[in-house]
Amino acid sequence: MKQVQRLEEFKKSVNNKFNVYNSLFLNLPYRNIENVGMVIPLMLDQCQKGLKSGQNPKEILEAFFENFMAIDSEKERIDFMFRIIQYVERQVVLYDSVEDAAFPKIYKHSNNLAIKDYFELVDKNKSWDKISDHLSNFSARLVLTAHPTQFYTPAVLDIIAELRTLILGDKIDDIDVTLQQLGLTSLINSKKPTPLDEAKNIIYILRNVYYDAVGELYAYLKSNINNAEFENYNIMKLGFWPGGDRDGNPFVTADITNDVADELRVTLMKCYYNDLKKLQQKLTFSGLQEDINKLRANLYTAMFNPEKQVGYQDIIGPLTQIRAVLVERYHSLYLEELDYFIDKVKIFKTHFATLDIRQDHSMHVTVITEILTRNGLIKESLDELSEKELIDILLNEKLSLKVFDYNEEITQETIKNILQLKSIQEKNGEEGCNRYIISNSEDIFSVLFVFALFRWCGWNAKEISFDIVPLFETMKGMEDSEAIMQQLFDMPEYMAHVRQRSEKQTMMLGFSDGTKDGGYLKANWSILKTKESLSGVCAKNNIKAIFFDGRGGPPARGGGKTHRFYAAQTKDIANNEIQLTIQGQTITSTYGTKEQFVYNCEQLLTAGLSNSFYGDENVITKDQRALIEQLSELSFEKYDALKHHDKFMPYLENMSTLKYYTKANIGSRPGKRGNKAKLELSDLRAISFVGSWSQLKQNVPGYFGLGTAIKTMKDKGKMDEVKNLYEKVPVFRALMSNSMMALSKCYFELTAYMRDDEEYGDFWIILKNEYDLSKEMLLEISGMEILMEQEALSRESIKIRENIVLPLLVIQQYALQKIGEDSPMKELYEKIVTRSLYGNINASRNSA
């Protein structure tokens, strides 16, 4: 019933409103664009009919230009296509605004339990003590990343926010004016953003959405949890990667890291200053003015001068004094408002969000090699040392590193950065920067290299105030992770470090590169098994396991429905905290408004509660595990064969938009690691890899191999067992549901012309056949007639978005065809492909 209600609300508040406001686009103030708004529905119709009848994009558009537009000149056709792209980009912005504005109405009818629903269950079951204790110790951490799929400037984000407000009030005249403003405002960066630019864009959202949203969520929990002593200021934490994540991004320097730490702190001081200013308008009592004015003056200076240090005690001390006087002398008037502000200060302190440091293990190999060579411990290679000798050096050798004693830029930068981390902690507090993550961890040295670097940069081994976090992202890394952690725990020196870090070990599991490496099912099943084994090895050593998940994008990069993912985990997985990355445009699409943020954070918290209190315990039997293992291996064999097909990389390079990701001014990070002349899959970043499949509307990493795996089981007479898996095992059902989402965003008709390509035709047919088989098999095991049958709202949203951008996709393919023909206007067609990336990424919201 709730799904029907939500669908009705969706049609009324989203579909109908979008159609009404979309008509205002006819008046957008573009030069030479008067007819575009009226032409687009016709163009969409021709694209749909043409693709269904087997025409290729070139045939469709050339017929359209001749029969409907009478545009003969190739240059005029190119100009027209650019105008279409501009127009559609803004339609996507409008649709996002309409859908976001409708969010509170639609999710009023949600089936998912909010915190309020859980509290009602607690009342009914009389289990307040248990739930209160759990929430008093539980923590969820959202870590915001700067992956190159989030590129709206603050100016455009302001317009989107304004549109949402106006749409809620149905202020059509003001919406008309704001759409005109949108029409004249550039949606793309004129040049590639720096890491500092990316950080500032995300900090804008911290300041304008998350600062108040976290405060409101905490205030709601505090007032409803039925525990006067509730003080869990870590229940919802924010992490931050822009400016600290140097994995594959040579533009993230030590100076950038320091600048971003300053920007986070200075922005927080602005938030505090504004709150205090509003409070002072209410706390007009003479006995409070001196303390308020002094604190305001300190915050004001800190807002504009990064060198001005206002510590946590410098803020909380005066506020505590103000509170005491308010209670004692002024009848606690406005105490609730003051406490609300004090709680925010206790949550954000002086850091706002925790800036994580991340680097690839291979970079540390280079750094350690140069350090040991320079200090006479090796001649030129680490291979000269036995494992035992290298461990002894890393744990016991006393060195003192100075930046300019070394020649390699990566060595200088690494030393400079670690040397400055103490001063960042002094300015922002220890919570401001206290984790060092190592990508591509596949052995103990990924952790020990970092441990040694801290020691050699002046940190006392017993006082390193950083968590060293291995990121197991490849199949090999996950398979060896249990043995790696046990070997580390067996070392007294490392164990002493873990003990002084509150006896917790954070471990990150990488979805993006795991899926690229092992295929969808094997990667995700391996992650679950790895979590179980790492939970076990930590428990055996009396260490709390904390898992940090790379999520928040599409299923092909480990994303999908987050609540469904966490609620499906087994009892053998440690549930001390939920930590996950929020990637790309998911930052704005899933957590972009206060209402969305609070709703989705509540879903994280209730997912944690689900595993502890309510519903059936998630248990996977031995037989069920064996069947998932078989499916996993079968799907991997199919995907691995595709990966090693001699046309796999050439197809991506020559038939997709892969090479254009690096040309678009979307993000600061290069599209691949290293600078080899020949592109290799291992060097290719997961974002451009998955994004390229998405632009082709083929979404291969989100399902490839599943169809073959399930069909093989069917041929063996085991289909009933697979259906039982879907019905009885939540984690398997969650993975299959995410794959159905990936399949629902496929549209092979767009590239059907490739079937006849002399070089790539056979390869395209392999992809299409597996898509057809995967769709057929998933529908069969789920008992559904159509993909996402039980998720009508998401299905409807996807359908509208895909229709909006279909003209863009056809234009993109047309341009790729013309580039393949070596057109004399090749450069302009390449610009068309690059420009078309933006609208397509935004429309899919989690496409890359």
Side-chain angles (χ1 to χ4, degrees):
M1 185 59 192
K2 282 192 173 183
Q3 177 161 289
V4 174
Q5 290 173 312
R6 288 177 70 198
L7 200 53
E8 285 174 0
E9 187 61 56
F10 180 87
K11 286 176 180 173
K12 185 170 67 177
S13 298
V14 178
N15 208 344
N16 294 347
K17 283 196 176 185
F18 173 68
N19 289 333
V20 170
Y21 299 139
N22 195 30
S23 66
L24 298 175
F25 270 97
L26 298 177
N27 298 318
L28 278 185
Y30 286 136
R31 190 179 58 203
N32 304 321
I33 204 169
E34 292 81 8
N35 297 322
V36 170
M38 288 176 276
V39 166
I40 282 204
L42 179 61
M43 188 177 187
L44 172 63
D45 181 63
Q46 292 302 301
C47 289
Q48 289 173 328
K49 286 178 178 173
L51 291 172
K52 280 178 184 172
S53 67
Q55 288 183 295
N56 68 47
K58 187 181 170 194
E59 290 168 337
I60 291 167
L61 285 187
E62 287 183 350
F64 178 77
F65 288 133
E66 288 171 18
N67 300 332
F68 296 99
M69 298 301 297
I71 302 177
D72 298 321
S73 151
E74 187 170 14
K75 181 65 171 63
E76 285 179 355
R77 290 181 176 187
I78 289 172
D79 288 343
F80 181 79
M81 285 187 283
F82 271 118
R83 293 201 296 274
I84 293 283
I85 290 169
Q86 284 181 299
Y87 191 96
V88 171
E89 282 173 342
R90 284 155 179 81
Q91 280 187 304
V92 172
V93 170
L94 173 63
Y95 185 77
D96 284 347
S97 303
V98 172
E99 197 168 66
D100 289 347
F103 182 87
K105 286 183 180 177
I106 291 168
Y107 280 85
K108 186 170 63 179
H109 306 295
S110 171
N111 290 319
N112 294 333
L113 292 180
I115 286 287
K116 179 168 139 313
D117 302 316
Y118 268 88
F119 286 169
E120 286 174 4
L121 278 173
V122 174
D123 258 341
K124 195 180 293 183
N125 298 330
K126 308 297 180 194
S127 52
W128 269 115
D129 288 347
K130 195 175 177 185
I131 200 116
S132 174
D133 182 62
H134 183 76
L135 284 175
S136 293
N137 295 286
F138 190 72
S139 177
R141 183 194 299 238
L142 297 176
V143 180
L144 310 169
T145 76
H147 289 104
T149 54
Q150 171 59 45
F151 45 78
Y152 280 144
T153 62
V156 175
L157 291 173
D158 277 335
I159 291 173
I160 292 172
E162 177 68 9
L163 275 174
R164 279 197 301 262
T165 303
L166 295 173
I167 288 164
L168 281 169
D170 284 324
K171 297 183 177 178
I172 197 148
D173 290 339
D174 293 330
I175 291 169
D176 187 21
V177 172
T178 308
L179 286 176
Q180 290 183 49
Q181 178 191 353
L182 176 65
L184 293 167
T185 303
S186 175
L187 268 65
I188 62 171
N189 298 308
S190 56
K191 59 181 181 178
K192 221 170 182 58
T194 67
L196 184 58
D197 293 332
E198 289 174 330
K200 286 181 176 179
N201 280 357
I202 308 296
I203 289 171
Y204 168 93
I205 299 168
L206 282 179
R207 180 182 181 182
N208 289 282
V209 179
Y210 298 171
Y211 175 72
D212 282 332
V214 172
E216 287 185 17
L217 178 61
Y218 184 82
Y220 179 81
L221 289 169
K222 184 179 177 182
S223 59
N224 287 277
I225 201 168
N226 202 19
N227 178 2
E229 305 301 314
F230 181 76
E231 278 194 339
N232 181 5
Y233 296 108
N234 288 321
I235 195 163
M236 186 52 62
K237 295 187 283 190
L238 297 175
F240 204 79
W241 275 17
D245 180 11
R246 54 228 332 116
D247 175 15
N249 192 343
F251 306 113
V252 177
T253 62
D255 289 340
I256 287 286
T257 299
N258 188 62
D259 289 345
V260 171
D262 284 345
E263 190 72 26
L264 282 163
R265 188 184 65 260
V266 165
T267 303
L268 180 60
M269 296 303 123
K270 291 175 183 174
C271 293
Y272 286 165
Y273 180 84
N274 288 334
D275 271 4
L276 187 61
K277 184 179 174 183
K278 288 174 191 170
L279 260 175
Q280 191 172 22
Q281 293 170 354
K282 294 181 176 180
L283 304 180
T284 51
F285 321 125
S286 59
L288 303 178
Q289 292 307 302
E290 186 177 343
D291 284 337
I292 292 176
N293 285 330
K294 187 177 178 182
L295 180 54
R296 264 189 75 172
N298 274 340
L299 291 173
Y300 187 82
T301 307
M303 283 164 53
F304 300 105
N305 181 6
E307 301 306 312
K308 168 73 173 176
Q309 286 194 36
V310 178
Y312 172 64
Q313 288 303 325
D314 298 327
I315 303 170
I316 204 67
L319 288 174
T320 305
Q321 176 62 29
I322 290 165
R323 188 186 193 281
V325 174
L326 190 65
V327 171
E328 185 182 332
R329 293 172 51 189
Y330 298 105
H331 315 296
S332 298
L333 192 60
Y334 297 121
L335 182 63
E336 188 176 336
E337 288 89 337
L338 177 59
D339 280 346
Y340 178 56
F341 178 42
I342 288 173
D343 282 342
K344 285 202 276 191
V345 172
K346 288 181 176 179
I347 291 166
F348 297 116
K349 298 185 173 66
T350 53
H351 63 279
F352 213 165
T354 301
L355 180 62
D356 285 343
I357 308 299
R358 183 170 78 128
Q359 181 57 287
D360 190 88
H361 175 54
S362 62
M363 296 295 104
H364 292 150
V365 172
T366 302
V367 171
I368 293 292
T369 300
E370 187 179 8
I371 289 171
L372 298 192
T373 304
R374 168 78 171 72
N375 287 277
L377 294 163
I378 57 172
K379 290 180 181 177
E380 59 179 33
S381 170
L382 295 177
D383 293 336
E384 298 162 29
L385 300 168
S386 68
E387 182 177 288
K388 186 178 178 183
E389 288 170 332
L390 181 54
I391 290 171
D392 183 58
I393 288 171
L394 297 171
L395 293 178
N396 300 307
E397 188 71 35
K398 289 184 171 65
L399 300 176
S400 181
L401 303 183
K402 293 184 174 61
V403 174
F404 296 109
D405 285 351
Y406 300 90
N407 299 320
E408 292 279 352
E409 186 179 357
I410 184 63
T411 308
Q412 293 180 358
E413 267 298 319
T414 301
I415 295 169
K416 183 179 178 182
N417 187 51
I418 295 176
L419 286 171
Q420 74 173 354
L421 294 179
K422 273 187 180 175
S423 68
I424 289 176
Q425 286 191 342
E426 284 167 8
K427 291 186 292 184
N428 288 30
E430 187 186 310
E431 288 179 68
C433 187
N434 61 11
R435 307 203 305 182
Y436 200 116
I437 300 159
I438 311 105
S439 304
N440 280 307
S441 293
E442 294 186 347
D443 57 37
I444 57 168
F445 295 109
S446 57
V447 170
L448 293 183
F449 283 175
V450 175
F451 185 75
L453 286 168
F454 271 90
R455 286 201 312 108
W456 298 338
C457 286
W459 298 69
N460 183 318
K462 295 178 181 176
E463 297 174 359
I464 296 172
S465 52
F466 265 73
D467 295 329
I468 302 174
V469 182
L471 165 46
F472 302 113
E473 52 191 324
T474 62
M475 291 297 108
K476 183 182 186 305
M478 285 190 273
E479 284 164 10
D480 296 345
S481 60
E482 181 182 2
I484 291 168
M485 295 314 303
Q486 184 59 64
Q487 198 175 349
L488 288 167
F489 293 150
D490 285 340
M491 296 175 189
E493 297 87 348
Y494 184 72
M495 198 56 157
H497 166 71
V498 176
R499 296 279 182 220
Q500 69 95 9
R501 294 301 293 161
S502 305
E503 298 186 323
K504 292 179 180 178
Q505 174 66 55
T506 303
M507 296 155 287
M508 188 173 182
L509 300 177
F511 286 68
S512 298
D513 283 294
T515 304
K516 186 185 78 174
D517 187 31
Y520 180 72
L521 183 57
K522 184 174 174 68
N524 284 282
W525 177 237
S526 296
I527 285 163
L528 181 127
K529 291 190 298 179
T530 303
K531 278 190 170 185
E532 290 178 334
S533 63
L534 289 174
S535 297
V537 76
C538 286
K540 188 170 79 174
N541 291 275
N542 297 312
I543 300 297
K544 269 190 175 180
I546 307 293
F547 292 114
F548 178 19
D549 297 308
R551 292 185 61 78
R557 284 212 340 268
K561 301 288 186 181
T562 300
H563 175 269
R564 188 158 58 197
F565 168 77
Y566 285 109
Q569 294 191 131
T570 67
K571 64 178 179 60
D572 296 320
I573 294 175
N575 188 34
N576 300 303
E577 291 188 23
I578 285 177
Q579 298 190 8
L580 68 154
T581 56
I582 303 298
Q583 304 172 358
Q585 68 269 51
T586 310
I587 292 171
T588 48
S589 68
T590 308
Y591 296 88
T593 67
K594 201 185 295 181
E595 294 82 8
Q596 288 172 321
F597 180 91
V598 170
Y599 173 83
N600 284 295
C601 286
E602 284 189 11
Q603 294 303 296
L604 286 181
L605 296 177
T606 58
L609 296 175
S610 295
N611 281 333
S612 304
F613 299 110
Y614 302 111
D616 296 330
E617 199 174 68
N618 292 326
V619 178
I620 309 176
T621 68
K622 188 177 177 182
D623 288 344
Q624 288 168 338
R625 283 177 179 273
L627 184 54
I628 297 175
E629 195 70 45
Q630 281 182 280
L631 288 165
S632 165
E633 289 305 319
L634 287 166
S635 66
F636 173 67
E637 285 172 22
K638 183 71 175 177
Y639 176 74
D640 197 49
L642 184 76
K643 265 197 333 181
H644 290 96
H645 193 290
D646 61 353
K647 298 300 178 189
F648 185 78
M649 288 308 295
Y651 179 83
L652 273 176
E653 282 192 275
N654 300 316
M655 303 300 279
S656 83
T657 58
L658 180 63
K659 65 183 76 168
Y660 300 97
Y661 267 82
T662 55
K663 295 182 179 182
N665 294 326
I666 294 175
S668 67
R669 175 180 287 165
K672 65 185 181 80
R673 295 179 174 95
N675 48 20
K676 296 177 193 168
K678 185 183 177 186
L679 183 63
E680 295 178 11
L681 182 60
S682 57
D683 298 324
L684 189 57
R685 298 208 66 88
I687 286 165
S688 44
F689 173 70
V690 173
S692 298
W693 289 115
S694 173
Q695 295 277 329
L696 283 168
K697 308 312 289 180
Q698 294 174 353
N699 291 334
V700 163
Y703 61 85
F704 197 89
L706 275 181
T708 293
I710 297 170
K711 180 66 164 61
T712 304
M713 289 295 107
K714 183 179 181 179
D715 291 345
K716 289 181 178 180
K718 294 186 176 183
M719 196 59 166
D720 285 343
E721 292 174 43
V722 181
K723 287 180 180 179
N724 185 263
L725 266 188
Y726 182 86
E727 185 183 342
K728 303 289 187 186
V729 181
V731 69
F732 184 75
R733 188 165 60 250
L735 293 176
M736 296 305 100
S737 297
N738 283 341
S739 269
M740 284 193 248
M741 184 194 296
L743 286 163
S744 71
K745 292 184 180 181
C746 290
Y747 192 55
F748 271 82
E749 289 90 337
L750 179 70
T751 54
Y753 70 93
M754 296 181 189
R755 182 197 300 272
D756 302 319
D757 188 272
E758 191 174 322
E759 186 172 356
Y760 299 107
D762 290 343
F763 186 79
W764 184 92
I765 288 169
I766 291 171
L767 303 179
K768 176 63 162 61
N769 288 344
E770 187 62 21
Y771 160 78
D772 289 336
L773 186 59
S774 297
K775 181 178 175 181
E776 180 189 341
M777 291 296 102
L778 283 172
L779 289 176
E780 186 170 342
I781 66 168
S782 66
M784 295 181 189
E785 296 291 323
I786 55 172
L787 292 170
M788 300 178 70
E789 186 177 301
Q790 295 169 5
E791 298 177 66
L793 212 65
S794 296
R795 201 175 65 242
E796 192 68 20
S797 178
I798 289 169
K799 179 182 169 185
I800 294 171
R801 289 176 180 279
E802 298 296 309
N803 278 340
I804 291 172
V805 295
L806 185 60
L808 243 64
L809 292 165
V810 172
I811 285 171
Q812 185 183 87
Q813 287 298 316
Y814 172 79
L816 287 169
Q817 284 181 281
K818 296 293 279 187
I819 292 165
E821 294 172 358
D822 212 19
S823 162
M825 294 192 177
K826 182 178 177 181
E827 195 175 321
L828 283 173
Y829 285 117
E830 287 182 334
K831 284 185 179 178
I832 282 180
V833 174
T834 304
R835 273 300 306 276
S836 65
L837 293 174
Y838 296 88
N840 292 336
I841 288 172
N842 279 335
S844 293
R845 281 207 154 181
N846 65 356
S847 64

